[in-house]
Amino acid sequence: IIMGTIMTMSSSNWLMAWIGLELNMLAILPIISKPKTTRASEATIKYFLTQAIASAMMLLSSTTNAWQTGSWDILELKNKFSTTIMTLSLMMKMGAAPIHFWLPEVLQGTTLQTALLITTWQKLAPISLMYMISNNIQPALLMSAGILSMIVGGLGGINQTQLRKTMAYSSINNLGWTIMIMALSPNLAVMNIFIYMIMTTPIFLMMTSTSTKTLQNLTTTWTTSTATTLSIALLMLSTSGLPPFTGFLPKMLALNELITQKLTTLATLAIMTSLVSLLFYLRITYLIMVLTSPM
């Protein structure tokens, strides 16, 4: 998995980047199917099919571009059709809306450690490729996909009782911010995804250590491990982008960038969707802090 990601991130050629992604995808399949349950097998098949379709789209895009321009170079993706198909395939690999349907299902069917791997490490290679071609992608495509991901991530997480599904929608929501700002400031997009990964990793690790998988589990862990439960609550608020937590910084910088570029309507829309996602983060925090605390 590590080798595949490094191979993709360090290549300047579409074929090598594709081989890296294939290696990465084939390596994670046994890890997803490790629990011998029908749910895990289903998750593995779903993951394999979506990633295989995305890889095929990637090959189509790079081949069409090479046919038009005579170059396999990643930075030479000049063909408009190729750029659009490539962007969609990378979004599919990451699990961004509107091609996000596989992510909550796959996370629900795997262990917490594998869910952590899929929501963090597995996004590095597609994000780095998107960063490389960000100058050639139409901003309208990225911004509409970003806003859509924010809406889907916010609304999808509201009704969830399973924490892995909640984290999947949280991932879609944060990807929305990353993709939207990729059109204007790719460096800011990379910072946003890294801060998200830094906040998500301890949430998953603490959920693993306390064997917490549902909201109900979370309400009962207060008595056994108070510090851990409190940390999960605070990290959830941070991921939502609530000031004064760390997660607020990339969102504030993204909104600042949007307003600087005279995209005030988009900035307002982004704020409104982040309020929707804040709802389910606050719900989890409320359950932990208010309903379960002995005070």
Side-chain angles (χ1 to χ4, degrees):
I1 290 172
I2 293 168
M3 190 178 159
T5 304
I6 291 170
M7 203 166 158
T8 302
M9 289 171 79
S10 57
S11 62
S12 59
N13 181 294
W14 278 120
L15 279 177
M16 288 306 287
W18 176 79
I19 290 167
L21 283 168
E22 286 297 292
L23 181 66
N24 175 285
M25 184 255 285
L26 291 171
I28 202 171
L29 293 177
I31 297 177
I32 299 174
S33 62
K34 190 171 174 275
K36 295 290 174 276
T37 59
T38 48
R39 201 74 196 260
S41 308
E42 187 188 326
T44 312
I45 297 293
K46 281 177 180 171
Y47 187 82
F48 170 73
L49 287 174
T50 46
Q51 298 296 317
I53 293 164
S55 292
M57 285 167 69
M58 213 176 144
L59 265 186
L60 168 71
S61 166
S62 49
T63 311
T64 310
N65 187 67
W67 179 39
Q68 294 283 327
T69 62
S71 169
W72 284 95
D73 198 304
I74 289 177
L75 299 173
E76 291 296 316
L77 196 72
K78 297 283 193 284
N79 187 294
K80 211 170 187 180
F81 169 77
S82 298
T83 314
T84 309
I85 296 290
M86 184 61 72
T87 310
L88 288 172
S89 78
L90 293 175
M91 277 159 49
M92 195 170 182
K93 280 202 170 287
M94 288 185 278
I99 330 168
H100 65 280
F101 298 100
W102 62 273
L103 188 63
E105 295 300 319
V106 169
L107 289 203
Q108 189 53 36
T110 59
T111 61
L112 285 164
Q113 293 97 320
T114 316
L116 167 64
L117 199 61
I118 294 168
T119 49
T120 54
W121 183 267
Q122 291 299 90
K123 287 188 173 33
L124 289 178
I127 282 280
S128 61
L129 285 175
M130 196 177 263
Y131 178 83
M132 285 189 232
I133 63 165
S134 58
N135 290 336
N136 302 327
I137 309 172
Q138 294 155 288
L141 175 66
L142 286 178
M143 284 175 190
S144 24
I147 285 289
L148 190 62
S149 294
M150 284 184 210
I151 295 168
V152 166
L155 294 175
I158 289 175
N159 225 8
Q160 299 299 332
T161 54
Q162 297 285 339
L163 285 175
R164 278 169 295 183
K165 276 196 173 177
T166 306
M167 292 309 289
Y169 284 109
S170 161
S171 167
I172 294 166
N173 180 46
N174 274 281
L175 260 179
W177 281 92
T178 305
I179 291 170
M180 180 186 70
I181 210 63
M182 184 74 80
L184 304 173
S185 172
N187 293 341
L188 188 54
V190 170
M191 186 189 97
N192 182 58
I193 200 77
F194 271 113
I195 288 179
Y196 165 71
M197 286 175 187
I198 291 163
M199 291 183 301
T200 306
T201 308
I203 293 178
F204 272 111
L205 292 176
M206 284 186 279
M207 275 160 54
T208 310
S209 70
T210 53
S211 301
T212 307
K213 287 179 182 175
T214 62
L215 277 179
Q216 199 171 359
N217 293 156
L218 206 54
T219 56
T220 55
T221 50
W222 180 275
T223 48
T224 51
S225 43
T226 314
T228 307
T229 319
L230 193 61
S231 302
I232 291 176
L234 292 173
L235 280 162
M236 285 283 186
L237 287 179
S238 184
T239 316
S240 71
L242 195 73
F245 299 104
T246 318
F248 173 62
L249 179 70
K251 283 186 169 61
M252 186 189 71
L253 291 171
L255 290 171
N256 182 47
E257 184 67 35
L258 286 172
I259 292 162
T260 310
Q261 301 283 351
K262 304 278 190 293
L263 295 164
T264 322
T265 316
L266 198 65
T268 312
L269 204 55
I271 292 168
M272 299 306 275
T273 54
S274 69
L275 281 176
V276 177
S277 62
L278 180 63
L279 187 65
F280 72 81
Y281 290 114
L282 278 175
R283 183 162 150 257
I284 295 169
T285 316
Y286 174 79
L287 277 172
I288 297 170
M289 310 280 269
V290 182
L291 298 185
T292 60
S293 62
M295 290 175 281

